[in-house]
Amino acid sequence: MFFSNIKIAEKYNYLEEKFCCAYKWLAETDITSLSAGSYPIMGDKVVANVQEYTTILPGDGSFETHEKYFDIQYMVSGKEQFGVCKRDGLIVKSKDEANDLIFYEEPELSGTVLLEEGDLIVVAPEDAHKPRCQAGGPCAVKKVVVKVAL
């Protein structure tokens, strides 16, 4: 899946070497045997972060963006409703510059994508996203968030 606005669709090359390395790692790695943690793929330019958690109520999460990285969010097991909307016009709630995170107030309008086992979504810095949300109830999730440096 690829989510973008036509104004930035040509801004990024989603098939450049860094992205292809990430896709290959996701396809060829036995992620089910990996414990939660960080795994370098291409030095500090592409890093996989394996996460395990239980999904939360949508009201307990926040939309977020990143300045320095794309996210490739890949669902290993479980399912979640993944919130998406444009970053433009959102009201900043807080910033965590050390971890490249900006959190936002809940927008009036947004959408979601159902991520199930084997699904992925690529999120650019212009895309706000709200991960970890329940899809029909709490669910144990194993997910990889690959950080791809700009």
Side-chain angles (χ1 to χ4, degrees):
M1 166 165 263
F2 167 74
F3 170 79
S4 185
N5 184 283
I6 193 66
K7 294 176 185 174
I8 65 163
E10 292 184 9
K11 183 176 180 181
Y12 303 114
N13 178 359
Y14 292 93
L15 293 178
E16 73 173 284
E17 182 182 13
K18 291 183 289 188
F19 285 95
C20 289
C21 245
Y23 303 143
K24 182 177 182 185
W25 186 89
L26 289 169
E28 296 178 357
T29 302
D30 179 12
I31 299 167
T32 59
S33 69
L34 297 178
S35 57
S38 189
Y39 299 87
I41 297 172
M42 185 185 235
D44 60 354
K45 294 187 184 307
V46 182
V47 176
N49 295 303
V50 176
Q51 304 174 347
E52 295 177 336
Y53 56 85
T54 300
T55 54
I56 59 175
L57 292 170
D60 293 338
S62 293
F63 276 90
E64 63 185 60
T65 62
H66 313 290
E67 296 285 337
K68 301 174 187 174
Y69 295 92
F70 284 85
D71 277 359
I72 301 173
Q73 301 221 4
Y74 173 73
M75 187 64 62
V76 179
S77 62
K79 65 181 178 180
E80 71 180 44
Q81 285 294 140
F82 188 84
V84 292
C85 70
K86 296 175 188 167
R87 174 185 185 158
D88 287 345
L90 295 182
I91 299 169
V92 174
K93 184 166 47 173
S94 64
K95 292 184 179 184
D96 179 352
E97 291 180 21
N99 291 308
D100 190 36
L101 281 165
I102 303 171
F103 294 102
Y104 298 90
E105 298 291 334
E106 189 70 23
E108 185 178 330
L109 298 172
S110 63
T112 64
V113 174
L114 176 63
L115 295 179
E116 297 178 293
E117 186 175 327
D119 291 340
L120 65 81
I121 188 166
V122 179
V123 185
E126 291 86 358
D127 304 326
H129 55 286
K130 181 164 50 167
R132 300 179 176 232
C133 295
Q134 293 179 9
C139 181
V141 163
K142 186 166 192 172
K143 184 164 78 173
V144 178
V145 178
V146 180
K147 305 300 267 183
V148 178
L150 291 176

